Amino acid sequence: MIQQAERMEGLTSAIFSQLEVLQKKAAASGVDIIQLSIGNPDMAPAPHIVEAMKQAVECGDNYGYTLSKGKPELLQAIAEWYDKKFNVQLDPSTEIHSLIGSQEGLAHIGLCLVNPGDVVLVPDPGYPIFSTGPHIAGAQLHKMCLTSENNYLPDLDQISEEILKRTKLMILNYPNNPLAATATREFYEKVVALAHRYEFVVCSDFAYSELVFDDYRPESFLSIPGAKEIGIEFNSLSKSYNMCGCRIAYVVGNSEVISLLGRLKSNFDYGIFAPVQFAAIAALTGPQDCVRETAAAYQRRRDIIVDGFNSIGWHVERPKASMYIWAKVPTKQSSFDFAVDLLNHTGVAVVPGKAFGDCGEGFVRIALVQPEERLMVAVARIKEWFQVHIESEKKR
């Protein structure tokens, strides 16, 4: 009889699996599903990125193993990009490492830094890998509840000294998934001071750094004085350049932590397929109009949803970044029940906030991954159902 390892007990995709089954069932019955649950961009990379990959694919020399760290040209391109964008200087030889997607790096970092029983501070709600990676490493998770009252930032003053003394790692994510929240420089300065005092490592997930709206510009965590001494930052080409399926990202920052992750990866995998690296180089060094156009497209989509929902009485905030809307459940239902009702009655698929942690209950995440026309259809369907549903609730 096969028995799973104890570390598997904390891993579950129950809510996501349930949603997938329900969506397939609805589709099979003829419902036209508008998929706003999975954060999978529907846009393609810019032509110059595709062309770089095409040329590299046609070169027979590009099919061998590559260095796990990444091609020197890629590391240099990342360093120059960070310097230009965030005025953060990085040594390509010691402070940058390529990743097969940032999720892979986030999954492995706990194995490099955490012993069983050590504390890892993770956001709740949070992207699932923030918790599952440290869990696999045997960490004790301390959930930092993110609430609107604190602008979806961890309340650092509420973390006890006992916990802080045992902390080895803190994971942050701004612009945030699923909350679409942003962080201030003052908050990061406080985090850096806390990490220095209690000697733990900070991991900043910065994957949505370019999906920003209304002239907002996010701070890189590494731009804070003293951050590089205790921190690393993950970034990715997935969302900024619409290269999700290419699986290429990177981690930058503290050279000791980068070295540890590199050592672990050298035992686990090889480098990224060379044509994908050449595409990434073209993305980082080429024209950036495509990034601005992608962000502008998400901004228009955001406005369709926010304005549309607010017009029917479902009040949602207008985020400054990311590709998501974090919306309070407008009925008396749980987030899961509401998401199921929404799917069955309108065909619009969203994710219940509970899927991202206990503090996500009462909300749903909406991914802006459909063309504007489809989002308008979604708003119209929800409007028709919403008014009937609310009136029905009032009579109960």
Side-chain angles (χ1 to χ4, degrees):
M1 185 175 182
I2 297 174
Q3 294 184 343
Q4 68 177 20
E6 292 180 2
R7 68 179 65 88
M8 294 295 294
E9 292 178 5
L11 303 185
T12 176
S13 57
I15 293 179
F16 293 100
S17 298
Q18 286 177 277
L19 290 173
E20 184 179 5
V21 170
L22 291 169
Q23 289 173 26
K24 288 181 177 178
K25 183 178 179 181
S29 66
V31 176
D32 173 32
I33 304 297
I34 300 179
Q35 180 58 260
L36 304 181
S37 61
I38 303 172
N40 187 22
D42 61 313
M43 292 175 269
H48 70 279
I49 300 173
V50 176
E51 182 60 29
M53 187 182 297
K54 182 192 299 184
Q55 291 183 14
V57 165
E58 292 175 347
C59 177
D61 293 338
N62 288 329
Y63 285 83
Y65 291 124
T66 60
L67 295 175
S68 175
K69 188 174 181 61
K71 285 186 169 294
E73 307 97 304
L74 174 61
L75 304 178
Q76 184 63 38
I78 293 168
E80 292 175 1
W81 190 85
Y82 247 80
D83 189 12
K84 182 178 180 180
K85 296 286 296 186
F86 305 109
N87 195 28
V88 172
Q89 288 74 49
L90 298 164
D91 183 342
S93 64
T94 60
E95 296 178 334
I96 306 176
H97 201 294
S98 68
L99 300 170
I100 308 170
S102 56
Q103 179 157 324
E104 173 257 305
L106 287 159
H108 288 149
I109 192 63
L111 294 172
C112 301
L113 299 171
V114 175
N115 291 315
D118 289 339
V119 171
V120 175
L121 307 176
V122 297
D124 181 0
Y127 190 59
I129 197 62
F130 299 154
S131 294
T132 55
H135 168 78
I136 288 292
Q140 176 185 330
L141 302 181
H142 179 81
K143 303 289 184 73
M144 301 181 293
C145 191
L146 309 182
T147 65
S148 58
E149 291 75 20
N150 203 45
N151 296 314
Y152 295 115
L153 298 171
D155 188 342
L156 302 177
D157 296 330
Q158 292 299 312
I159 306 172
S160 71
E161 187 166 14
E162 178 187 358
I163 290 294
L164 289 169
K165 285 180 177 178
R166 296 173 51 214
T167 295
K168 291 292 184 70
L169 188 62
M170 171 190 276
I171 298 178
L172 300 174
N173 170 218
Y174 297 98
N176 187 279
N177 174 18
L179 304 171
T182 55
T184 63
R185 189 171 183 85
E186 292 74 21
F187 169 74
Y188 280 150
E189 289 171 345
K190 191 171 182 178
V191 169
V192 170
L194 196 68
H196 275 276
R197 179 180 177 185
Y198 290 98
E199 299 182 337
F200 58 78
V201 173
V202 178
C203 292
S204 166
D205 179 9
F206 204 31
Y208 297 92
S209 65
E210 304 310 295
L211 299 190
V212 292
F213 318 130
D214 307 320
D215 298 321
Y216 168 72
R217 290 305 310 164
E219 300 274 3
S220 163
F221 177 74
L222 294 182
S223 70
I224 308 301
K228 200 191 290 185
E229 297 169 19
I230 48 82
I232 58 174
E233 190 156 78
F234 294 88
N235 210 324
S236 170
L237 283 82
S238 291
K239 305 305 195 302
S240 301
Y241 297 95
N242 296 310
M243 296 175 66
C244 282
C246 297
R247 307 314 301 142
I248 185 162
Y250 53 89
V251 59
V252 298
N254 184 275
S255 59
E256 292 182 58
V257 180
I258 299 291
S259 177
L260 287 172
L261 184 56
R263 194 196 316 172
L264 183 76
K265 280 177 59 60
S266 70
N267 284 274
F268 278 5
D269 58 55
Y270 289 95
I272 299 162
F273 185 39
V276 173
Q277 294 194 54
F278 284 117
I281 294 166
L284 294 168
T285 62
Q288 299 300 297
D289 295 353
C290 58
V291 180
R292 291 186 287 272
E293 289 167 5
T294 295
Y298 282 121
Q299 180 171 327
R300 292 191 298 271
R301 294 174 180 191
R302 174 204 67 175
D303 291 342
I304 288 170
I305 293 294
V306 172
D307 294 342
F309 284 8
N310 284 333
S311 72
I312 64 175
W314 184 358
H315 300 293
V316 297
E317 296 180 8
R318 193 181 306 271
K320 294 186 290 186
S322 88
M323 53 190 285
Y324 305 107
I325 301 290
W326 185 246
K328 189 176 180 64
V329 172
T331 66
K332 299 174 184 178
Q333 299 168 287
S334 70
S335 61
F336 182 82
D337 288 344
F338 175 77
V340 172
D341 256 8
L342 193 68
L343 174 67
N344 289 337
H345 290 90
T346 71
V348 178
V350 301
V351 180
K354 177 74 172 177
F356 302 101
D358 290 340
C359 293
E361 182 52 71
F363 294 83
V364 293
R365 190 195 74 175
I366 302 162
L368 303 172
V369 291
Q370 295 289 336
E372 294 171 41
E373 297 78 11
R374 289 289 278 170
L375 293 179
M376 292 176 185
V377 172
V379 170
R381 289 185 192 176
I382 291 171
K383 178 180 181 179
E384 183 179 353
W385 169 73
F386 186 73
Q387 293 172 338
V388 174
H389 189 83
I390 293 298
E391 288 301 318
S392 176
E393 269 202 347
K394 288 179 181 178
K395 294 176 181 178
R396 292 176 192 167

